[in-house]
């Protein structure tokens, strides 16, 4: 099934900015980064993430995003997977990180396809 998408999953910075305009998101404060995740993710200077939305479909891509960004989600922050209920690779990417880290976070269904998880808030001793 994934093979049907070969060559079709491409976008452009112009299209990104057009979509942001269409949905009324102010352009200032938005940084679009062009390129493959393997090249761009290591260069990002994003120390703290409140909401990490991963819409990358494939196992390698989802896992790469998680490897680079999951630890930056702040306590109480959220992780959203756009395709969890649709693409097996998305579920496998999360499962791989979850198993490696021994994480036990509840995966909450949104609409049968998208899901979200909340990183536990820090406890104060
Ligand atoms: C389902 S689309 C979603 C795009 C956007 N979030 C949207 O809703 O229009 C998934 C996107 O992830 C991109 N993608 C997947 N793996 C990638 C990778 N390793 N590096 C860069 N982009 C990747 C694909 O090219 C595709 O544009």
């Amino acid at each position: 099934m994934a093979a049907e998408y070969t060559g079709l999953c491409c976008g452009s910075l112009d299209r990104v900015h057009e979509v942001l305009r269409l949905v009324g998101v102010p352009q200032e404060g938005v940084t679009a980064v062009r390129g493959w995740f393997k090249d761009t993710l290591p260069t990002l200077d994003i120390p703290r993430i409140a909401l990490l939305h991963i819409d990358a479909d494939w196992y390698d891509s989802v896992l790469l995003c998680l490897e680079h960004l999951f630890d930056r989600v702040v306590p109480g922050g959220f992780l959203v997977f756009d395709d969890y209920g649709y693409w097996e690779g998305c579920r496998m990417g999360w499962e791989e990180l979850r198993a490696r880290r021994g994480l036990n976070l509840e995966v909450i269904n949104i609409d049968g396809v998208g899901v979200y998880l909340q990183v536990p808030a820090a406890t104060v001793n």
Side-chain angles (χ1 to χ4, degrees), residues 1 4 8 14-15 19 22 25 28 37-38 41-42 48 52 60 69 82 87 91 95 100 102-103 106 109 113 117:
M1 187 162 79
E4 295 167 21
L8 298 179
D14 285 347
R15 180 72 181 136
V19 169
L22 284 171
V25 173
E28 60 274 7
F37 294 152
K38 69 178 175 51
L41 288 172
R48 287 159 40 88
L52 175 59
D60 285 353
L69 302 174
D82 208 83
W87 290 115
R91 293 190 292 279
E95 182 53 32
R100 275 188 209 168
L103 297 168
E106 184 183 3
N109 177 44
V113 179
L117 304 81

Side-chain angles (χ1 to χ4, degrees), residues 5 8-11 15-16 19 33-41 53-58 60-62 64-65 82-83 87:
Y5 290 84
L8 298 179
C9 292
C10 51
R15 180 72 181 136
V16 170
V19 169
V33 180
R34 175 168 41 195
W36 294 111
F37 294 152
K38 69 178 175 51
D39 301 320
T40 57
L41 288 172
H53 181 187
I54 298 180
D55 186 9
D57 299 352
W58 324 125
D60 285 353
S61 303
V62 169
L64 203 50
C65 290
D82 208 83
D83 313 296
W87 290 115

